Amino acid sequence: MKTVSLLLGSLLLLTTVACQSTNLRFPSAPIGPNEKSLGPTEATSTGIMLFGFIPINQNTRFENAMREAAKKAGGTRLTDVTISEQWFWAFVLDGFIFKVQGTAVGDK
């Protein structure tokens, strides 16, 4: 039983690997006279490449995370945007987790 557990644990380690990027800050337009700051917010969105060539939520994960972060705080856009991404690999798929952080801005 111990040998089977060790073998399965080794197989899991060999088939699942992950990485993370450094944070990247984007310049953005300052808060306008008809806008107000709503505070910090963040969101994530995941995309997957199944079998290395079937994209699932790959092309829209950036937009989805930005929209969700602004929506969470009741805003219309983000300022002081910082992004990062994590990657993971498994036997049949590659995953990409996009994370966005920023200050939500809304109309006065």
Side-chain angles (χ1 to χ4, degrees), residues 41-108:
T41 185
E42 67 179 42
T44 61
S45 183
T46 303
I48 293 175
M49 288 296 286
L50 189 60
F51 302 115
F53 66 92
I54 301 171
I56 301 170
N57 197 34
Q58 268 297 79
N59 297 332
T60 59
R61 62 193 157 103
F62 306 107
E63 296 168 28
N64 293 345
M66 295 284 280
R67 190 176 319 127
E68 181 65 28
K71 184 178 159 185
K72 259 187 188 175
T76 56
R77 70 180 183 97
L78 296 179
T79 188
D80 300 324
V81 176
T82 302
I83 65 166
S84 64
E85 193 168 47
Q86 294 178 330
W87 308 281
F88 60 92
W89 296 274
F91 189 67
V92 296
L93 59 87
D94 302 328
F96 306 91
I97 303 169
F98 179 75
K99 180 178 181 181
V100 63
Q101 298 171 306
T103 303
V105 175
D107 296 328
K108 278 190 178 179

